[in-house]
Amino acid sequence: MQGPENENDSAGATRGADQTNIIPFPVMDLSAEIDEGVAACNLLLRNIAELRRNLRVLEVFVATIEDSGQRQKLQNQSKSLDELLLQRSDQLTDVERLLHDTLRRTVHPDPPEVGAT
């Protein structure tokens, strides 16, 4: 009969007297998932940039509208939409940066500090 130091827990990790639970971590799978996240961020950033360019084209058209009330309403909506798109672009850039940092730490983890336990 095996003692508690050699029992397997439900995750399949071995529990030893001198070690904590060890769960295999598929670094390659995680790297691929992070790469997909970065690619998705890039795609969204490109789409946002294209939307903002198209919005500027519409603004030129809106400027030709004779009804000043309608023109002002559309200009305000356009400005608001552009601000939201810029905000989302900034957020996606931050997410992309975090994904790159996570990938770097996953593939090349920082060495433990001297004297750390």
Side-chain angles (χ1 to χ4, degrees):
M1 180 173 251
Q2 294 180 346
E5 65 271 7
N6 291 326
E7 291 181 7
N8 286 338
D9 65 10
S10 62
T14 301
R15 199 178 302 211
D18 61 338
Q19 64 184 166
T20 60
N21 288 341
I22 299 173
I23 299 173
F25 193 71
V27 174
M28 296 308 275
D29 291 343
L30 181 60
S31 296
E33 293 291 326
I34 292 172
D35 285 339
E36 287 178 21
V38 169
C41 284
N42 285 327
L43 177 63
L44 289 168
L45 285 166
R46 286 192 308 269
N47 288 339
I48 288 173
E50 184 65 25
L51 282 169
R52 292 185 73 216
R53 280 190 294 274
N54 291 335
L55 196 54
R56 284 190 274 287
V57 170
L58 282 174
E59 288 169 353
V60 171
F61 172 73
V62 167
T64 65
I65 295 175
E66 292 181 13
D67 182 340
S68 63
Q70 187 66 27
R71 182 177 60 242
Q72 186 63 42
K73 179 182 174 185
L74 291 171
Q75 286 171 334
N76 289 340
Q77 289 175 339
S78 176
K79 181 181 177 185
S80 177
L81 182 56
D82 188 55
E83 289 171 358
L84 288 172
L85 288 169
L86 182 59
Q87 181 182 28
R88 294 299 181 244
S89 179
D90 290 344
Q91 290 171 338
L92 280 167
T93 300
D94 291 342
V95 168
E96 184 181 27
R97 188 176 307 117
L98 288 172
L99 287 171
H100 280 293
D101 288 347
T102 301
L103 183 60
R104 180 185 50 80
R105 285 190 213 123
T106 301
V107 175
H108 305 289
D110 295 331
E113 294 181 23
V114 176
T117 55

